[in-house]
Amino acid sequence: MLFANKLRQLRVKNDLRQRQMSAVLEIDSGLYSKIERGERRAKKEHVVKLAHFLHVEEKELLTLWQVDQFSNAVSTDYRIATNAMQIAYDQYKQLNTQKHEK
Amino acid sequence: MLFANKLRQLRVKNDLRQRQMSAVLEIDSGLYSKIERGERRAKKEHVVKLAHFLHVEEKELLTLWQVDQFSNAVSTDYRIATNAMQIAYDQYKQLNTQKHEK
DNA sequence: GTAATTTTGTACATTATTTGTCAAGACATA
DNA sequence: TATGTCTTGACAAATAATGTACAAAATTAC
């Protein structure tokens, strides 16, 4: 739960209450509590809002959040998963360079 | 759709009909058609059955299938996604070596 | 060509998963 | 004890995924 952990860390560091956070996101505070513990997933828009509110780079939070999405998608043996991740990564890396070439 | 493509390739190579495949999996042939085109996702058990039926390694098909799960989990910008995938991969690679140490 | 077979597309009903809400409980502090 | 913060569990609501039926295309065989 990279995202959840980071979120709590940032909130505590800034001495903020969950209630304030949930107000910013306009969600129930119980739900926020769950998000912060990784029991529920934040929406992409939430991640963006949080980044602004906490003065961190959107990119940073979105990356952690995306990592969690990937972890969540693991549904095989860790060997197979690792292997597959490597392949998936290579695919994307390539996509990256292709786009840069244009 | 690495898995779907591979599946079709194998079926055609072995001169099999979708109907036969769907019979093996005990599913509707329309559904099988969708799976083969990546419009629906196969279940893990299906992948395993297919590997046996088509005489290919379980691991091979499961890997492709898992790659698709990852692709499916991409929900950010490709730059962020690539970055996140790298991080996720590193996490898993590490998990791998940890287990080997035991 | 056309009949038979195979595959695809679409619209839905069904099922499963995820999400969000609420109220009660735990814990700390004053 | 009273107050504020956070967690938890049960459950309804919303959303997403799955599977089915059947018509339309496409392909193959005759």
Side-chain angles (χ1 to χ4, degrees):
Chain A
M1 308 280 80
L2 296 193
F3 174 71
N5 293 344
K6 185 69 178 182
L7 187 54
R8 166 153 302 185
Q9 181 206 304
L10 287 169
R11 178 176 64 82
V12 170
K13 196 178 74 185
N14 291 298
D15 195 31
L16 295 162
R17 309 284 138 218
Q18 290 193 350
R19 228 153 50 67
Q20 302 177 260
M21 305 295 280
S22 62
V24 169
L25 298 180
E26 302 176 88
I27 61 175
D28 183 272
S29 66
L31 177 55
Y32 177 82
S33 168
K34 284 175 193 179
I35 290 175
E36 207 179 82
R37 281 170 302 108
E39 200 182 307
R40 291 285 186 282
R41 293 186 237 166
K43 300 203 163 144
K44 196 177 171 185
E45 312 85 69
H46 289 161
V47 181
V48 173
K49 274 195 188 171
L50 288 167
H52 293 160
F53 183 62
L54 296 165
H55 304 101
V56 296
E57 290 230 30
E58 240 182 62
K59 195 177 146 188
E60 185 190 351
L61 284 193
L62 278 174
T63 303
L64 298 176
W65 175 78
Q66 178 68 81
V67 173
D68 289 346
Q69 313 284 308
F70 288 137
S71 301
N72 208 272
V74 171
S75 34
T76 52
D77 196 273
Y78 69 93
R79 292 157 187 278
I80 289 177
T82 309
N83 215 244
M85 222 175 254
Q86 165 95 73
I87 294 171
Y89 172 62
D90 288 344
Q91 276 192 331
Y92 268 78
K93 204 172 49 183
Q94 189 153 8
L95 215 152
N96 240 309
T97 49
Q98 277 172 6
K99 293 211 179 172
H100 287 314
E101 278 162 13
K102 288 201 266 196
Chain B
M1 306 280 81
L2 295 193
F3 174 72
N5 293 346
K6 185 69 177 183
L7 187 53
R8 167 152 301 185
Q9 180 205 307
L10 287 170
R11 178 176 65 80
V12 171
K13 196 178 73 183
N14 289 296
D15 196 30
L16 295 162
R17 309 282 136 221
Q18 291 192 352
R19 220 153 46 67
Q20 302 177 260
M21 305 295 280
S22 61
V24 169
L25 298 181
E26 302 176 87
I27 60 175
D28 184 271
S29 65
L31 178 54
Y32 177 83
S33 168
K34 287 180 209 306
I35 289 175
E36 208 178 82
R37 282 171 300 113
E39 201 182 305
R40 290 286 186 280
R41 293 187 237 166
K43 301 203 161 146
K44 196 176 171 185
E45 312 83 70
H46 289 161
V47 181
V48 173
K49 273 195 190 174
L50 288 167
H52 293 160
F53 183 61
L54 296 165
H55 303 102
V56 295
E57 290 228 32
E58 238 181 64
K59 196 178 145 186
E60 186 190 351
L61 285 193
L62 279 173
T63 303
L64 297 176
W65 176 78
Q66 178 68 81
V67 173
D68 289 345
Q69 314 285 308
F70 289 136
S71 302
N72 208 273
V74 171
S75 33
T76 52
D77 194 274
Y78 69 92
R79 291 155 188 279
I80 289 178
T82 309
N83 214 242
M85 222 176 252
Q86 165 96 72
I87 294 171
Y89 172 63
D90 288 345
Q91 276 192 332
Y92 268 78
K93 205 172 50 183
Q94 188 154 7
L95 214 152
N96 240 310
T97 49
Q98 278 172 6
K99 293 212 179 172
H100 287 313
E101 279 163 12
K102 288 201 267 195

